[in-house]
Amino acid sequence: MSAPAVTSDTNGRLQAHGREPARRRRRSRNRLGDHLAGWAFAGPSTLLVLGFSLLPMAWALRLSFTDSDLVTSGHSVGLANYRALAGDEVFWQSIRNTLTLIAIYIPVSLVLGLLVALLLNKPIRGSAFYRSCFLVPFVASAAAEGLLMSFVLDKDFGAVNGLLTRVGLPAQGFLDSPAQAMYVIAGIFVWTQFGFNVVIYLAALQELPAEVLEAAAIDGAGRWATFRHIIVPSVRSISLFLTVWALIDSLQFFDLILTTTKGGPLNSTITIVYYVWQLAFQYFTAGYGAAVAYVLFAGSLLAIVVGLAFGRRKGFLS
């Protein structure tokens, strides 16, 4: 009676072993199908990234070691383009102007964005309309905004100087004054971009539990204490994200300069990206322009990595 049982058990194990390779093949085919489906969706985007980001970056890196003028491939000059940056006064001026823009734009846009979001977070009539008003400059064309502000701030015929003279104040140079132009540009940049911060902060504030604010009020916390100890800590990760976003925006700042001052007067508003554009497409020194662009890339990458590391260390990132 025991032999048939052993035989049956052996046959069962053999059949199970025979079915195992078939299961592996089916799993492999399923995984292959999943991979193919994934690449079918991600493939076009991957090709776009390769075609419009990575390959141009590699080409620009090669270009930075040549004296190319964009018309010819040029000759290899080694590190000469990078060494020339040390004595390029316009390059250093563009760095100073870009740092000035960053120092004004980031804190002012963050503080304004949070304050306006706090106001719009209250149950006021027409809040949707006010939100739209703050967001419109962000979504509008920067080129159109630059042309508009050029007319409004014109030193001779601008509306702002017209109002100043009417109230007995002297007319200002604004975009035509080397001492004022960079600060005016930074102010325009804040006006056009801080609406994005308003929207992001407002979304974060609306996620804040009402029970927390009610508990703070019951405990006797005033507005300043609530703002400092509840609202600010609750949006600190959002603030870090917006800071990195604003830093990237500032380092890429170009279109307002092109449509308002074109880097003038006396290079007082020239930024790094605008200088790269000038070198490549006005002076046709594309190799040198690529070297400036790669210095900008290295500096931007370092600043973002340091900022994120600082935020993670301070607990801004979970």
XYZ file of all heavy atoms in Angstrom, residues 127-205:
598
model
N -12.295 86.677 -2.778
C -10.926 86.174 -2.636
C -10.424 85.515 -3.918
O -9.245 85.621 -4.247
C -10.850 85.183 -1.480
O -11.736 84.086 -1.693
N -11.317 84.844 -4.655
C -10.899 84.208 -5.916
C -10.425 85.252 -6.922
O -9.446 85.031 -7.653
C -12.050 83.397 -6.491
N -11.092 86.393 -6.956
C -10.681 87.473 -7.859
C -9.308 88.001 -7.478
O -8.448 88.227 -8.337
C -11.716 88.600 -7.826
C -11.286 89.840 -8.545
C -11.270 89.886 -9.930
C -10.890 90.967 -7.827
C -10.859 91.033 -10.601
C -10.483 92.115 -8.487
C -10.471 92.146 -9.879
N -9.077 88.194 -6.181
C -7.776 88.701 -5.733
C -6.665 87.706 -6.037
O -5.556 88.099 -6.420
C -7.824 88.999 -4.238
C -8.822 90.071 -3.863
C -9.713 89.886 -2.813
C -8.877 91.263 -4.573
C -10.630 90.868 -2.473
C -9.794 92.248 -4.240
C -10.670 92.044 -3.199
O -11.577 93.011 -2.872
N -6.948 86.427 -5.874
C -5.934 85.408 -6.207
C -5.563 85.502 -7.683
O -4.386 85.406 -8.047
C -6.460 84.019 -5.881
C -6.677 83.758 -4.396
C -7.365 82.422 -4.179
N -7.907 82.296 -2.838
C -8.661 81.307 -2.423
N -8.959 80.320 -3.250
N -9.118 81.272 -1.185
N -6.552 85.658 -8.527
C -6.296 85.775 -9.965
C -5.454 87.011 -10.272
O -4.548 86.963 -11.117
C -7.610 85.839 -10.739
O -8.399 84.692 -10.490
N -5.719 88.110 -9.579
C -4.965 89.341 -9.814
C -3.476 89.154 -9.509
O -2.616 89.678 -10.228
C -5.532 90.472 -8.963
S -7.164 91.047 -9.487
N -3.185 88.421 -8.448
C -1.781 88.204 -8.101
C -1.116 87.192 -9.019
O 0.099 87.236 -9.212
C -1.664 87.739 -6.643
C -1.885 88.832 -5.643
C -3.030 88.871 -4.870
C -0.947 89.843 -5.487
C -3.244 89.884 -3.950
C -1.149 90.864 -4.564
C -2.303 90.887 -3.800
N -1.897 86.286 -9.592
C -1.318 85.243 -10.437
C -1.123 85.705 -11.875
O -0.252 85.181 -12.574
C -2.216 84.002 -10.413
C -1.659 82.736 -11.044
C -0.372 82.309 -10.345
C -2.674 81.610 -10.985
N -1.900 86.690 -12.335
C -1.830 87.124 -13.735
C -0.424 87.559 -14.138
O 0.073 87.160 -15.201
C -2.867 88.237 -14.002
C -2.555 88.971 -15.304
C -4.261 87.642 -14.087
N 0.287 88.401 -13.347
C 1.647 88.771 -13.779
C 2.589 87.583 -13.941
O 3.505 87.630 -14.767
C 2.120 89.698 -12.645
C 0.880 90.228 -12.039
C -0.111 89.111 -12.129
N 2.368 86.527 -13.143
C 3.239 85.352 -13.251
C 3.024 84.602 -14.558
O 3.982 84.116 -15.166
C 2.995 84.423 -12.061
C 3.753 83.127 -12.143
C 5.120 83.092 -11.941
C 3.094 81.944 -12.445
C 5.823 81.903 -12.023
C 3.790 80.751 -12.527
C 5.155 80.721 -12.317
N 1.769 84.488 -15.005
C 1.479 83.713 -16.206
C 1.564 84.564 -17.477
O 1.569 84.017 -18.579
C 0.085 83.056 -16.115
C 0.024 82.108 -14.942
C -1.021 84.105 -16.001
N 1.642 85.882 -17.330
C 1.734 86.750 -18.510
C 3.131 86.664 -19.116
O 4.091 86.214 -18.489
C 1.403 88.183 -18.127
N 3.246 87.111 -20.342
C 4.524 87.085 -21.052
C 5.507 88.064 -20.422
O 5.203 89.248 -20.245
C 4.299 87.450 -22.524
O 5.522 87.727 -23.167
N 6.694 87.569 -20.090
C 7.718 88.429 -19.504
C 8.173 89.493 -20.498
O 8.500 90.621 -20.104
C 8.905 87.590 -19.045
N 8.196 89.147 -21.777
C 8.586 90.123 -22.794
C 7.589 91.276 -22.839
O 7.968 92.455 -22.892
C 8.675 89.446 -24.151
N 6.287 90.952 -22.792
C 5.263 92.001 -22.798
C 5.351 92.855 -21.538
O 5.200 94.086 -21.597
C 3.880 91.361 -22.920
N 5.604 92.220 -20.400
C 5.731 92.979 -19.150
C 6.941 93.896 -19.185
O 6.891 95.032 -18.696
C 5.831 92.013 -17.976
C 4.537 91.263 -17.701
C 4.706 90.103 -16.751
O 5.846 89.635 -16.590
O 3.700 89.668 -16.179
N 8.025 93.430 -19.790
C 9.211 94.274 -19.899
C 8.966 95.487 -20.774
O 9.369 96.606 -20.437
N 8.296 95.298 -21.901
C 7.973 96.426 -22.778
C 7.037 97.408 -22.082
O 7.193 98.630 -22.194
C 7.344 95.912 -24.068
C 8.269 95.112 -24.997
C 7.488 94.520 -26.156
C 9.398 95.999 -25.524
N 6.050 96.875 -21.354
C 5.116 97.736 -20.625
C 5.847 98.585 -19.591
O 5.637 99.815 -19.511
C 4.058 96.873 -19.944
C 3.106 97.599 -18.987
C 2.247 98.595 -19.748
C 2.233 96.594 -18.238
N 6.723 97.966 -18.806
C 7.427 98.713 -17.773
C 8.430 99.694 -18.368
O 8.727 100.730 -17.749
C 8.134 97.745 -16.825
C 7.190 96.810 -16.074
S 5.832 97.656 -15.242
C 6.702 98.625 -14.022
N 8.938 99.419 -19.547
C 9.833 100.375 -20.207
C 9.098 101.668 -20.508
O 9.661 102.768 -20.377
C 10.391 99.770 -21.500
O 11.217 98.670 -21.223
N 7.826 101.568 -20.931
C 7.024 102.770 -21.187
C 6.630 103.460 -19.888
O 6.702 104.681 -19.766
C 5.772 102.408 -21.989
C 6.040 102.098 -23.427
C 5.886 100.815 -23.920
C 6.462 103.090 -24.303
C 6.144 100.518 -25.242
C 6.724 102.811 -25.638
C 6.562 101.518 -26.115
N 6.204 102.677 -18.911
C 5.731 103.255 -17.646
C 6.859 103.973 -16.911
O 6.649 105.034 -16.293
C 5.120 102.150 -16.770
C 4.805 102.675 -15.368
C 3.859 101.596 -17.409
N 8.082 103.444 -16.977
C 9.215 103.989 -16.233
C 10.145 104.830 -17.094
O 11.265 105.135 -16.666
C 10.002 102.843 -15.585
C 9.234 102.004 -14.561
C 10.068 100.806 -14.124
C 8.847 102.836 -13.357
N 9.720 105.202 -18.275
C 10.541 106.044 -19.147
C 10.869 107.360 -18.433
O 10.005 107.976 -17.813
C 9.815 106.319 -20.456
C 10.690 107.074 -21.434
O 11.434 106.421 -22.192
O 10.628 108.318 -21.435
N 12.129 107.780 -18.510
C 12.545 108.956 -17.736
C 11.950 110.257 -18.259
O 11.839 111.246 -17.501
C 14.073 109.055 -17.722
C 14.697 109.361 -19.071
C 16.205 109.559 -18.945
C 16.818 109.927 -20.304
N 18.266 110.199 -20.181
N 11.555 110.280 -19.529
C 11.023 111.510 -20.105
C 9.500 111.520 -20.224
O 8.861 112.535 -19.949
C 11.636 111.741 -21.496
C 13.137 111.933 -21.426
O 13.606 112.648 -20.506
O 13.850 111.358 -22.272
N 8.925 110.387 -20.635
C 7.494 110.358 -20.914
C 6.738 109.322 -20.078
O 5.558 109.090 -20.312
C 7.258 110.051 -22.407
C 8.036 110.957 -23.327
C 9.167 110.489 -23.994
C 7.659 112.281 -23.496
C 9.890 111.325 -24.841
C 8.382 113.116 -24.337
C 9.496 112.644 -25.012
N 7.401 108.696 -19.115
C 6.765 107.638 -18.334
C 5.712 108.158 -17.370
O 5.787 109.295 -16.876
N 4.734 107.304 -17.098
C 3.641 107.689 -16.203
C 4.123 107.920 -14.780
O 3.614 108.802 -14.068
C 2.567 106.603 -16.221
N 5.113 107.151 -14.326
C 5.590 107.293 -12.947
C 6.257 108.643 -12.739
O 5.985 109.350 -11.752
C 6.552 106.148 -12.595
C 7.142 106.343 -11.205
C 5.835 104.806 -12.668
N 7.115 109.042 -13.665
C 7.751 110.359 -13.540
C 6.731 111.478 -13.689
O 6.881 112.548 -13.085
C 8.862 110.505 -14.576
C 10.202 110.020 -14.054
O 10.432 109.991 -12.837
N 11.085 109.619 -14.944
N 5.698 111.240 -14.491
C 4.631 112.227 -14.592
C 3.944 112.450 -13.258
O 3.665 113.596 -12.863
N 3.684 111.369 -12.519
C 3.059 111.489 -11.200
C 4.007 112.151 -10.201
O 3.586 112.959 -9.358
C 2.653 110.104 -10.694
C 1.503 109.420 -11.446
C 1.303 108.006 -10.922
C 0.205 110.225 -11.299
N 5.300 111.811 -10.272
C 6.263 112.404 -9.345
C 6.368 113.914 -9.531
O 6.404 114.675 -8.547
C 7.641 111.757 -9.537
C 7.786 110.298 -9.099
C 9.174 109.777 -9.424
C 7.514 110.144 -7.604
N 6.432 114.389 -10.766
C 6.527 115.828 -11.020
C 5.246 116.548 -10.604
O 5.299 117.701 -10.168
C 6.826 116.085 -12.498
O 5.857 115.411 -13.315
C 8.216 115.581 -12.862
N 4.119 115.890 -10.706
C 2.850 116.521 -10.300
C 2.785 116.781 -8.803
O 2.161 117.742 -8.357
C 1.676 115.660 -10.714
C 1.328 115.757 -12.187
C -0.018 115.129 -12.466
N -0.379 115.279 -13.865
C -1.568 114.946 -14.371
N -2.488 114.436 -13.574
N -1.818 115.127 -15.648
N 3.402 115.910 -8.028
C 3.382 116.098 -6.571
C 4.628 116.834 -6.084
O 4.874 116.916 -4.876
C 3.255 114.741 -5.850
C 1.958 114.057 -6.211
C 4.447 113.834 -6.160
N 5.414 117.373 -7.000
C 6.554 118.190 -6.628
C 7.842 117.454 -6.371
O 8.793 118.040 -5.830
N 7.917 116.191 -6.732
C 9.138 115.417 -6.545
C 9.948 115.373 -7.833
O 9.377 115.458 -8.938
C 8.799 113.988 -6.100
C 8.100 113.855 -4.744
C 7.699 112.395 -4.492
C 9.008 114.350 -3.629
N 11.268 115.253 -7.748
C 12.083 115.227 -8.968
C 11.891 113.936 -9.754
O 11.675 112.860 -9.169
C 13.512 115.347 -8.437
C 13.444 114.810 -7.041
C 12.090 115.193 -6.526
N 11.981 114.044 -11.057
C 11.891 112.859 -11.920
C 13.119 111.978 -11.700
O 14.209 112.458 -11.390
C 11.780 113.273 -13.379
N 12.920 110.666 -11.857
C 13.978 109.692 -11.630
C 14.418 109.057 -12.948
O 13.666 109.001 -13.916
C 13.506 108.609 -10.663
C 13.050 109.138 -9.312
C 14.164 109.801 -8.543
O 15.286 109.278 -8.474
N 13.888 110.964 -7.962
N 15.653 108.559 -12.940
C 16.165 107.911 -14.145
C 15.624 106.509 -14.337
O 15.482 106.036 -15.456
N 15.347 105.805 -13.232
C 14.845 104.441 -13.260
C 15.724 103.555 -14.131
O 16.882 103.333 -13.807
C 13.386 104.396 -13.708
C 12.434 105.030 -12.745
C 11.586 106.053 -13.132
C 12.395 104.624 -11.421
C 10.721 106.646 -12.232
C 11.533 105.205 -10.505
C 10.695 106.225 -10.923
N 15.211 103.055 -15.243
C 15.956 102.101 -16.073
C 17.119 102.746 -16.818
O 17.969 102.041 -17.375
C 15.004 101.439 -17.080
C 13.896 100.591 -16.456
C 12.934 100.100 -17.540
C 14.463 99.407 -15.685
N 17.183 104.087 -16.848
C 18.282 104.774 -17.530
C 19.366 105.232 -16.565
O 20.342 105.856 -16.977
C 17.739 105.992 -18.292
C 16.823 105.584 -19.429
O 17.302 104.901 -20.355
O 15.622 105.918 -19.386
N 19.205 104.924 -15.283
C 20.188 105.332 -14.288
C 21.033 104.136 -13.861
O 20.493 103.139 -13.380
C 19.469 105.915 -13.066
O 20.367 106.069 -11.986
N 22.358 104.218 -14.016
C 23.193 103.089 -13.574
C 23.058 102.779 -12.090
O 23.229 101.629 -11.677
C 24.612 103.568 -13.911
C 24.432 104.584 -14.981
C 23.136 105.271 -14.673
N 22.723 103.788 -11.281
C 22.596 103.560 -9.840
C 21.261 102.938 -9.464
O 21.141 102.323 -8.397
C 22.773 104.885 -9.098
N 20.235 103.090 -10.307
C 18.897 102.627 -9.965
C 18.442 101.413 -10.761
O 17.567 100.672 -10.305
C 17.881 103.763 -10.201
C 18.097 104.983 -9.363
C 17.103 106.091 -9.696
O 16.237 105.942 -10.552
N 17.239 107.233 -9.015
N 18.987 101.232 -11.950
C 18.408 100.282 -12.906
C 18.307 98.862 -12.346
O 17.268 98.205 -12.495
C 19.225 100.284 -14.197
N 19.346 98.363 -11.670
C 19.318 96.981 -11.196
C 18.258 96.790 -10.123
O 17.587 95.756 -10.079
C 20.700 96.591 -10.641
C 20.868 95.091 -10.438
S 20.838 94.180 -12.004
C 19.610 92.939 -11.671
N 18.077 97.797 -9.270
C 17.062 97.702 -8.220
C 15.650 97.775 -8.809
O 14.729 97.084 -8.336
C 17.267 98.805 -7.193
C 18.611 98.742 -6.517
C 19.642 99.596 -6.892
C 18.869 97.810 -5.524
C 20.890 99.524 -6.292
C 20.109 97.725 -4.906
C 21.121 98.589 -5.301
O 22.360 98.497 -4.707
N 15.492 98.590 -9.850
C 14.192 98.667 -10.525
C 13.877 97.344 -11.214
O 12.746 96.836 -11.130
C 14.178 99.831 -11.536
C 12.883 99.827 -12.343
C 14.344 101.160 -10.823
N 14.861 96.767 -11.876
C 14.669 95.466 -12.527
C 14.296 94.407 -11.496
O 13.396 93.584 -11.716
C 15.954 95.061 -13.275
C 16.134 95.912 -14.531
C 15.918 93.583 -13.654
C 15.125 95.650 -15.619
N 14.973 94.422 -10.341
C 14.650 93.450 -9.293
C 13.219 93.645 -8.803
O 12.497 92.671 -8.541
C 15.631 93.584 -8.130
N 12.783 94.911 -8.675
C 11.407 95.172 -8.268
C 10.394 94.662 -9.283
O 9.357 94.088 -8.910
N 10.685 94.866 -10.562
C 9.796 94.347 -11.610
C 9.742 92.829 -11.557
O 8.680 92.212 -11.702
C 10.270 94.824 -13.001
C 10.212 96.343 -13.101
C 9.430 94.190 -14.106
C 10.830 96.895 -14.376
N 10.890 92.212 -11.315
C 10.954 90.748 -11.255
C 10.122 90.217 -10.093
O 9.412 89.209 -10.223
C 12.415 90.329 -11.114
C 12.665 88.866 -11.341
C 11.993 88.173 -12.337
C 13.582 88.171 -10.572
C 12.220 86.816 -12.562
C 13.825 86.825 -10.785
C 13.136 86.153 -11.775
N 10.196 90.896 -8.950
C 9.372 90.492 -7.803
C 7.895 90.593 -8.166
O 7.104 89.678 -7.882
C 9.689 91.365 -6.577
C 8.672 91.122 -5.468
C 11.096 91.079 -6.059
N 7.501 91.698 -8.795
C 6.098 91.901 -9.162
C 5.597 90.816 -10.112
O 4.472 90.335 -9.992
C 5.930 93.282 -9.804
C 4.600 93.478 -10.454
C 3.379 93.545 -9.838
C 4.351 93.625 -11.861
N 2.378 93.723 -10.772
C 2.945 93.774 -12.021
C 5.161 93.648 -12.988
C 2.351 93.942 -13.269
C 4.575 93.832 -14.232
C 3.188 93.963 -14.363
N 6.423 90.404 -11.049
C 5.978 89.421 -12.039
C 5.956 87.994 -11.514
O 5.234 87.151 -12.045
C 6.878 89.462 -13.289
O 8.232 89.151 -12.912
C 6.851 90.830 -13.949
N 6.738 87.705 -10.465
C 6.915 86.309 -10.070
C 6.329 85.933 -8.714
O 6.076 84.749 -8.478
C 8.419 85.972 -10.053
C 9.111 86.142 -11.388
C 8.593 85.173 -12.437
O 8.487 83.976 -12.198
N 8.252 85.690 -13.609
N 6.120 86.888 -7.800
C 5.769 86.459 -6.450
C 4.357 85.897 -6.360
O 4.003 85.272 -5.363
C 5.978 87.604 -5.450
C 4.780 88.474 -5.219
C 3.982 88.295 -4.108
C 4.447 89.481 -6.110
C 2.875 89.093 -3.866
C 3.352 90.285 -5.883
C 2.561 90.087 -4.758
N 3.529 86.083 -7.395
C 2.203 85.469 -7.396
C 2.270 83.951 -7.319
O 1.370 83.314 -6.749
N 3.318 83.368 -7.869
C 3.506 81.914 -7.758
C 3.694 81.520 -6.299
O 3.123 80.523 -5.833
C 4.712 81.493 -8.593
C 5.056 80.036 -8.484
C 4.296 79.075 -9.121
C 6.148 79.619 -7.737
C 4.607 77.724 -9.015
C 6.472 78.277 -7.629
C 5.693 77.334 -8.274
N 4.480 82.313 -5.553
C 4.668 82.031 -4.133
C 3.350 82.142 -3.376
O 3.096 81.365 -2.443
C 5.684 83.009 -3.539
C 7.066 82.835 -4.127
O 7.308 81.936 -4.918
N 7.974 83.708 -3.756
N 2.516 83.105 -3.763
C 1.218 83.274 -3.106
C 0.381 82.002 -3.252
O -0.201 81.500 -2.285
C 0.470 84.486 -3.694
C -0.959 84.545 -3.146
C 1.203 85.775 -3.377
N 0.335 81.473 -4.461
C -0.480 80.280 -4.717
C 0.034 79.083 -3.922
O -0.739 78.339 -3.309
C -0.494 79.974 -6.229
C -1.188 78.641 -6.502
C -1.190 81.087 -6.989
N 1.347 78.887 -3.907
C 1.921 77.739 -3.192
C 1.728 77.882 -1.685
O 1.328 76.923 -1.001
C 3.412 77.587 -3.540
C 3.598 77.368 -5.054
C 4.011 76.421 -2.768
C 2.923 76.136 -5.593
N 1.995 79.055 -1.158
C 1.797 79.266 0.283
C 0.322 79.122 0.661
O -0.003 78.576 1.724
C 2.295 80.646 0.685
C 3.763 80.705 1.020
C 4.580 81.708 0.503
C 4.344 79.781 1.883
C 5.927 81.777 0.818
C 5.688 79.840 2.205
C 6.470 80.837 1.661
O 7.807 80.901 1.984
N -0.550 79.623 -0.187
C -1.977 79.530 0.116
C -2.429 78.081 0.172
O -3.219 77.695 1.056
C -2.774 80.298 -0.941
C -4.270 80.455 -0.702
C -4.537 81.142 0.627
C -4.906 81.235 -1.845
N -1.936 77.264 -0.731
C -2.270 75.835 -0.700
C -1.761 75.185 0.586
O -2.449 74.349 1.191
C -1.679 75.133 -1.915
N -0.560 75.575 1.026
C -0.018 75.010 2.268
C -0.823 75.466 3.484
O -1.084 74.673 4.404
C 1.441 75.419 2.425
N -1.232 76.719 3.514
C -2.002 77.231 4.647
C -3.376 76.581 4.735
O -3.898 76.344 5.832
C -2.157 78.748 4.530
C -0.876 79.567 4.716
C -1.143 81.037 4.434
C -0.312 79.387 6.119
